[in-house]
Amino acid sequence: MITNEQRKKLRGWFAGRLPDDLFEELTEVTVDREEITVIGRIPEPHLAEGVSATEREAAVEGRIQEFRERTREARIEVAREAERRFDRKVSWGVDCGAERALFTHVAAPVMTRLRQPEREVLDTLIAGGVARSRSEALAWCVRLVQRHTDDWLAELRESLENVHRVRAQGPDTEAEDAPSDTSPGTE
């Protein structure tokens, strides 16, 4: 788990490294063991008063696609630097109006062992047409839990931050663990 301080340093690095004209604002930088996702706000298209929802939706979709194509090289350059520096893949997304679009991002496999009652839940989701596979059903369940427990998960993450902070304040073991090299020519 990444600490809050590490998350702030990561966000700061991206805020400083991104070209000034890439986003209106850096909305979100999230990170896990495999991936960093960078999301920024882009301007909404200028539309006439009273346009239909369908037209507005199509205009936002077009704006997002235009941004993705126009900024590809700049985003690739930043991603390559970040991937070397942080040893994680970088994915991108944008907020445009009320719409959020994620560009290609990592789908990391996760191994798990489920008992029959848990597998039955996944199989019911498949039979009901909610998902096409057990992995898709499991991902659906995770998104559902995430949506309904954001406050609880935030509190849990905060508690983990405190555990990391307390551990870092523990006794210094470096002096005990340092190898003593007394071979000739080392002094």
Side-chain angles (χ1 to χ4, degrees), residues 18-168:
L18 292 174
D20 287 337
D21 61 346
L22 188 65
F23 297 126
E24 287 184 325
E25 87 177 280
L26 182 59
T27 309
E28 188 177 314
V29 177
T30 57
V31 62
D32 65 14
R33 288 184 289 183
E34 291 84 23
E35 177 180 31
I36 300 166
T37 303
V38 179
I39 300 174
R41 178 161 302 286
I42 62 173
E44 291 183 64
H46 299 289
L47 300 171
E49 291 282 328
V51 299
S52 70
T54 303
E55 186 175 342
R56 181 171 307 283
E57 186 178 304
V60 167
E61 184 179 313
R63 173 61 51 92
I64 291 169
Q65 188 61 38
E66 182 276 333
F67 171 86
R68 185 177 186 184
E69 295 302 321
R70 177 176 45 84
T71 64
R72 185 179 312 273
E73 291 303 316
R75 290 183 295 107
I76 287 172
E77 183 179 329
V78 172
R80 284 186 179 140
E81 283 181 45
E83 287 170 5
R84 281 191 301 273
R85 182 180 183 109
F86 302 112
D87 198 30
R88 291 171 172 88
K89 291 291 183 188
V90 175
S91 300
W92 300 90
V94 293
D95 289 328
C96 184
E99 183 71 28
R100 174 169 281 186
L102 294 176
F103 305 154
T104 305
H105 49 99
V106 175
V110 179
M111 293 297 294
T112 186
R113 296 187 184 276
L114 300 176
R115 289 180 166 62
Q116 188 175 25
E118 296 153 337
R119 292 190 312 266
E120 286 176 348
V121 170
L122 300 180
D123 292 341
T124 300
L125 292 171
I126 294 167
V130 173
R132 293 181 301 234
S133 66
R134 283 182 172 175
S135 63
E136 192 176 289
L138 186 57
W140 184 89
C141 291
V142 169
R143 286 190 303 272
L144 183 66
V145 168
Q146 182 184 20
R147 186 176 307 129
H148 293 290
T149 59
D150 279 341
D151 292 340
W152 181 83
L153 288 172
E155 189 175 333
L156 181 60
R157 287 183 185 114
E158 186 178 313
S159 294
L160 288 170
E161 291 286 331
N162 290 330
V163 168
H164 289 291
R165 184 181 46 76
V166 170
R167 281 186 186 154

Side-chain angles (χ1 to χ4, degrees), residues 174-182:
E174 280 186 42
E176 297 171 12
D177 295 339
S180 58
D181 189 359
T182 57

